[in-house]
Amino acid sequence: MKRVNGERQRRTILEALRDARDGLDTNQLAERLGLHANTIRWHLGVLADGGLVQAVPEPRRGRGRPSIVYRLT
């Protein structure tokens, strides 16, 4: 049962990314989907390993690390 839930969540993430041409970061996905950012990160890792999404650093807008935006491949 847990596996089906994870697959459903990944499908929802893919749908959200399909609707976002410029991609979304983990916080944006978490807010839109009502999931914890760590849950989103885990699922994005699975999707990236499967070649379905890619992580792209955004240009920095100040100090600190750049945000990582995910897009469909």
Side-chain angles (χ1 to χ4, degrees):
M1 186 77 123
K2 203 171 196 182
R3 182 180 185 121
V4 172
N5 188 36
E7 290 173 6
R8 184 172 40 87
Q9 289 175 339
R10 287 189 287 279
R11 189 170 42 248
T12 303
I13 291 169
L14 290 172
E15 289 169 3
L17 291 174
R18 189 174 298 117
D19 294 339
R21 291 187 171 202
D22 294 331
L24 297 168
D25 66 22
T26 54
N27 291 328
Q28 291 168 322
L29 282 164
E31 186 176 309
R32 287 181 187 206
L33 303 178
L35 296 170
H36 193 278
N38 289 338
T39 301
I40 296 289
R41 281 186 198 92
W42 188 86
H43 286 299
L44 286 169
V46 172
L47 293 168
D49 288 346
L52 298 171
V53 299
Q54 66 179 4
V56 180
E58 277 193 327
R60 290 177 61 176
R61 295 186 186 131
R63 295 170 28 148
R65 287 189 213 172
S67 291
I68 303 296
V69 173
Y70 292 86
R71 296 185 179 114
L72 295 179
T73 54

